[in-house]
Amino acid sequence: MRMIAAALLMMPALAQAREIAQVGVDWVGNDIVIEAIADPDVGGVTCHLAYFERSVLDRLSQGNWFEDPSNSAIQCARTGPVDVSALRPGRPEDVFSEGRSLLFKSLRVKRIYDAENRVLVYLAHASELNEGSAKMSMSTVPLLAGDMTGNPAR
């Protein structure tokens, strides 16, 4: 039990999402949910993630209880001073993960630091145990000369 607790403590902390709105899209209760996600490793960047959430009535009427669409959209913005000095360029890192069904499907946000072009890239995608999805959304946050990068400014 101690080993499991130690392993969980050593895992990177993922961001917590804060729901900011739900937009109803039909009469059966399906919604588009919008969440704010502050990057836990890069202060000064907040992403807004939108995804489709099926209602219980829709699941019962369609007969496909466990299916959940993989569609999502993401937009990220500078919300304060940015410090990327602890990031490794070119390495995709998990920022956020949220279960989307009982059958091992999750919605994920990954960050990639493009040091050469001085940009943070955020990718929202679905992840499944046995079958991937080509549905994705991407957003970028340009780094400014004053941002802490560990590299000399251009």
Side-chain angles (χ1 to χ4, degrees):
M1 188 65 148
R2 287 183 187 168
M3 291 179 69
I4 293 171
L8 289 173
L9 289 174
M10 292 173 26
M11 290 177 59
L14 295 182
Q16 298 293 314
R18 181 178 55 86
E19 185 176 306
I20 62 167
Q22 280 192 12
V23 178
V25 296
D26 58 24
W27 66 272
V28 295
N30 293 319
D31 294 323
I32 295 173
V33 178
I34 303 170
E35 297 177 334
I37 304 164
D39 189 323
D41 297 325
V42 178
V45 175
T46 301
C47 296
H48 289 89
L49 182 65
Y51 58 88
F52 187 80
E53 185 172 74
R54 291 181 63 209
S55 69
V56 172
L57 183 56
D58 182 52
R59 291 173 191 274
L60 290 172
S61 67
Q62 297 294 324
N64 53 359
W65 183 263
F66 298 109
E67 289 184 21
D68 212 356
S70 300
N71 300 6
S72 64
I74 190 168
Q75 183 63 43
C76 301
R78 172 185 301 274
T79 54
V82 175
D83 181 359
V84 294
S85 59
L87 301 182
R88 290 190 276 174
R91 181 175 177 237
E93 297 179 295
D94 289 326
V95 174
F96 174 78
S97 181
E98 180 175 77
R100 297 298 299 141
S101 77
L102 295 175
L103 298 177
F104 310 107
K105 185 178 193 178
S106 63
L107 179 58
R108 297 180 180 267
V109 175
K110 293 197 182 283
R111 173 196 344 94
I112 299 102
Y113 173 31
D114 179 355
E116 183 178 334
N117 293 302
R118 298 186 44 78
V119 171
L120 291 173
V121 178
Y122 290 86
L123 176 70
H125 68 95
S127 179
E128 296 184 50
L129 184 62
N130 64 345
E131 187 177 311
S133 172
K135 296 176 183 176
M136 71 201 86
S137 183
M138 187 173 69
S139 180
T140 61
V141 176
L143 299 174
L144 304 176
D147 292 332
M148 297 177 67
T149 62
N151 300 325
R154 282 188 186 181

